[in-house]
Short mmCIF file of all heavy atoms in Angstrom, two decimals:
data_model
loop_
_atom_site.label_atom_id
_atom_site.label_comp_id
_atom_site.label_asym_id
_atom_site.label_seq_id
_atom_site.Cartn_x
_atom_site.Cartn_y
_atom_site.Cartn_z
N GLU Y 704 -57.30 -119.10 42.89
CA GLU Y 704 -55.86 -118.95 43.07
C GLU Y 704 -55.08 -119.03 41.80
O GLU Y 704 -55.35 -119.88 40.86
CB GLU Y 704 -55.39 -120.08 44.10
CG GLU Y 704 -53.95 -120.01 44.38
CD GLU Y 704 -53.49 -121.15 45.29
OE1 GLU Y 704 -54.34 -121.75 46.06
OE2 GLU Y 704 -52.34 -121.46 45.26
N VAL Y 705 -54.24 -118.13 41.59
CA VAL Y 705 -53.41 -118.13 40.39
C VAL Y 705 -52.48 -119.39 40.36
O VAL Y 705 -51.61 -119.51 41.24
CB VAL Y 705 -52.56 -116.87 40.21
CG1 VAL Y 705 -51.71 -116.92 39.01
CG2 VAL Y 705 -53.46 -115.58 40.20
N ARG Y 706 -52.58 -120.30 39.44
CA ARG Y 706 -51.83 -121.39 39.42
C ARG Y 706 -50.70 -121.19 38.44
O ARG Y 706 -49.56 -121.75 38.73
CB ARG Y 706 -52.78 -122.53 38.85
CG ARG Y 706 -52.12 -123.92 38.77
CD ARG Y 706 -51.57 -124.49 40.03
NE ARG Y 706 -52.56 -124.67 41.00
CZ ARG Y 706 -53.31 -125.87 41.18
NH1 ARG Y 706 -53.17 -126.78 40.27
NH2 ARG Y 706 -54.16 -125.97 42.19
N ASP Y 707 -50.83 -120.40 37.39
CA ASP Y 707 -49.80 -120.35 36.42
C ASP Y 707 -49.92 -119.01 35.58
O ASP Y 707 -51.06 -118.66 35.22
CB ASP Y 707 -49.81 -121.53 35.51
CG ASP Y 707 -48.68 -121.59 34.42
OD1 ASP Y 707 -47.56 -121.01 34.80
OD2 ASP Y 707 -48.86 -121.88 33.32
N ILE Y 708 -48.85 -118.38 35.32
CA ILE Y 708 -48.85 -117.19 34.45
C ILE Y 708 -48.16 -117.71 33.19
O ILE Y 708 -46.96 -117.72 33.17
CB ILE Y 708 -48.25 -115.95 35.10
CG1 ILE Y 708 -48.92 -115.54 36.34
CG2 ILE Y 708 -48.29 -114.77 34.02
CD1 ILE Y 708 -48.24 -114.44 37.11
N GLY Y 709 -48.85 -118.11 32.14
CA GLY Y 709 -48.10 -118.62 31.00
C GLY Y 709 -47.93 -117.56 30.03
O GLY Y 709 -48.12 -116.39 30.25
N LEU Y 710 -47.22 -118.05 28.86
CA LEU Y 710 -46.98 -117.08 27.86
C LEU Y 710 -48.21 -116.45 27.22
O LEU Y 710 -48.28 -115.29 26.80
CB LEU Y 710 -46.18 -117.68 26.63
CG LEU Y 710 -44.75 -118.10 26.89
CD1 LEU Y 710 -44.26 -119.01 25.81
CD2 LEU Y 710 -43.92 -116.92 27.21
N ARG Y 711 -49.26 -117.19 27.14
CA ARG Y 711 -50.52 -116.77 26.45
C ARG Y 711 -51.54 -116.46 27.45
O ARG Y 711 -52.36 -115.51 27.28
CB ARG Y 711 -50.97 -117.93 25.58
CG ARG Y 711 -52.02 -117.42 24.52
CD ARG Y 711 -52.54 -118.67 23.78
NE ARG Y 711 -53.34 -119.52 24.68
CZ ARG Y 711 -54.62 -119.23 25.08
NH1 ARG Y 711 -55.13 -118.11 24.75
NH2 ARG Y 711 -55.24 -120.04 25.89
N ALA Y 712 -51.69 -117.18 28.53
CA ALA Y 712 -52.87 -116.99 29.43
C ALA Y 712 -52.49 -117.19 30.93
O ALA Y 712 -51.50 -117.87 31.17
CB ALA Y 712 -54.03 -117.98 28.98
N THR Y 713 -53.34 -116.70 31.74
CA THR Y 713 -53.21 -116.88 33.20
C THR Y 713 -54.22 -117.97 33.57
O THR Y 713 -55.38 -117.88 33.21
CB THR Y 713 -53.43 -115.63 33.99
OG1 THR Y 713 -52.40 -114.68 33.65
CG2 THR Y 713 -53.45 -115.77 35.48
N ARG Y 714 -53.71 -118.88 34.37
CA ARG Y 714 -54.65 -119.98 34.87
C ARG Y 714 -54.96 -119.86 36.28
O ARG Y 714 -54.11 -119.73 37.11
CB ARG Y 714 -53.99 -121.41 34.58
CG ARG Y 714 -54.09 -121.68 33.02
CD ARG Y 714 -53.22 -122.85 32.63
NE ARG Y 714 -53.14 -122.91 31.19
CZ ARG Y 714 -52.19 -122.31 30.55
NH1 ARG Y 714 -51.26 -121.64 31.17
NH2 ARG Y 714 -52.17 -122.36 29.17
N LEU Y 715 -56.28 -119.94 36.65
CA LEU Y 715 -56.79 -119.85 37.97
C LEU Y 715 -57.37 -121.06 38.36
O LEU Y 715 -57.99 -121.82 37.41
CB LEU Y 715 -57.81 -118.76 38.05
CG LEU Y 715 -57.62 -117.36 37.54
CD1 LEU Y 715 -58.90 -116.51 37.81
CD2 LEU Y 715 -56.47 -116.68 38.11
N VAL Y 716 -57.28 -121.40 39.61
CA VAL Y 716 -58.08 -122.63 40.14
C VAL Y 716 -59.23 -122.01 40.88
O VAL Y 716 -58.91 -121.42 42.03
CB VAL Y 716 -57.22 -123.61 40.98
CG1 VAL Y 716 -58.04 -124.81 41.53
CG2 VAL Y 716 -56.10 -124.20 40.08
N SER Y 717 -60.41 -122.31 40.55
CA SER Y 717 -61.56 -121.78 41.32
C SER Y 717 -61.86 -122.54 42.53
O SER Y 717 -61.28 -123.59 42.78
CB SER Y 717 -62.79 -121.75 40.37
OG SER Y 717 -63.20 -123.13 40.26
N PRO Y 718 -62.67 -121.97 43.43
CA PRO Y 718 -62.89 -122.70 44.73
C PRO Y 718 -63.55 -124.09 44.51
O PRO Y 718 -63.45 -124.92 45.25
CB PRO Y 718 -63.85 -121.90 45.44
CG PRO Y 718 -63.65 -120.43 44.94
CD PRO Y 718 -63.15 -120.67 43.51
N ASP Y 719 -64.19 -124.27 43.34
CA ASP Y 719 -64.76 -125.63 42.99
C ASP Y 719 -63.82 -126.43 42.15
O ASP Y 719 -64.24 -127.32 41.49
CB ASP Y 719 -66.13 -125.50 42.37
CG ASP Y 719 -66.14 -124.70 41.15
OD1 ASP Y 719 -65.12 -124.19 40.77
OD2 ASP Y 719 -67.26 -124.54 40.50
N ASP Y 720 -62.54 -126.07 42.25
CA ASP Y 720 -61.44 -126.95 41.52
C ASP Y 720 -61.43 -126.84 40.14
O ASP Y 720 -61.05 -127.89 39.48
CB ASP Y 720 -61.50 -128.22 42.16
CG ASP Y 720 -60.01 -128.90 42.04
OD1 ASP Y 720 -59.07 -128.12 42.11
OD2 ASP Y 720 -59.91 -130.07 41.92
#
Side-chain angles (χ1 to χ4, degrees):
Chain Y
E704 183 181 335
V705 178
R706 179 61 63 87
D707 181 35
I708 301 171
L710 287 175
R711 197 190 65 75
T713 293
R714 285 171 192 85
L715 311 179
V716 177
S717 72
D719 58 359
D720 207 27

